[in-house]
Amino acid sequence: MFTHETKLRVRYGETDQMGYMYYGNYAEFLEVARVEMLRSMGLSYKSFEESGIMMPVLELNVKYVKPARYDDEITIKTTVKHKPAIRIHFDYELFNEAGDLITIAHTKLVFVDMRTNKPCHAPEEFMEKLKPYFE
């Protein structure tokens, strides 16, 4: 299992009339968390794309427990519980500054060969970096 934490602050433009973070913005926070998780491993979406692999989202599931509000610093805990193959599952827990769980989310992405536009296995470099977490 591999886990990484990212902190983001809710900006005014990300909130709705009630002062809550607009529900559609959670997907962007999850994407930032995924990108930062890869970056923590010395990888990036850009490096995947340069090697001919893209990672479109197949599924997104979000459960809103409590609202995130303007100027809250949110901690996003991103976890990969299972060794990826052609698909990769990410689990997320979002916490407010008080440490309260505010959101639970899951995404499923697929590795796609950009040349053929068909699913493919995860890049070898990525799998090598994950190997110690799944032995």
Side-chain angles (χ1 to χ4, degrees):
M1 182 165 71
F2 180 77
T3 301
H4 180 263
E5 289 189 4
T6 303
K7 292 185 184 286
L8 292 171
R9 190 166 299 277
V10 179
R11 297 171 295 187
Y12 184 78
E14 295 167 329
T15 61
D16 60 19
Q17 191 172 359
M18 297 178 290
Y20 295 173
M21 185 162 79
Y22 179 67
Y23 76 94
N25 290 326
Y26 285 81
E28 287 187 39
F29 272 47
L30 302 179
E31 180 180 8
V32 170
R34 286 192 307 273
V35 168
E36 293 305 318
M37 184 205 80
L38 287 174
R39 195 176 308 280
S40 78
M41 302 169 74
L43 301 168
S44 68
Y45 271 16
K46 184 177 181 178
S47 66
F48 281 23
E49 290 175 354
E50 287 171 348
S51 71
I53 295 178
M54 62 181 167
M55 296 172 59
V57 175
L58 290 177
E59 294 178 13
L60 166 64
N61 180 280
V62 181
K63 179 179 181 183
Y64 305 99
V65 179
K66 292 182 175 184
R69 293 185 166 90
Y70 168 62
D71 206 39
D72 283 353
E73 183 179 62
I74 306 301
T75 300
I76 307 167
K77 181 179 172 186
T78 306
T79 304
V80 177
K81 293 180 182 174
H82 306 285
K83 185 177 175 182
I86 292 172
R87 293 184 180 100
I88 183 168
H89 300 253
F90 295 92
D91 293 303
Y92 312 87
E93 293 176 312
L94 284 69
F95 299 90
N96 63 17
E97 291 172 80
D100 299 327
L101 178 67
I102 61 169
T103 307
I104 300 166
H106 312 278
T107 56
K108 184 191 306 182
L109 285 73
V110 62
F111 297 98
V112 173
D113 182 315
M114 294 169 69
R115 189 177 40 79
T116 64
N117 207 33
K118 295 190 186 245
C120 63
H121 286 281
E124 192 58 41
E125 180 183 12
F126 178 54
M127 294 306 292
E128 279 299 314
K129 291 186 183 258
L130 280 178
K131 191 175 183 178
Y133 302 97
F134 294 100
E135 293 184 319

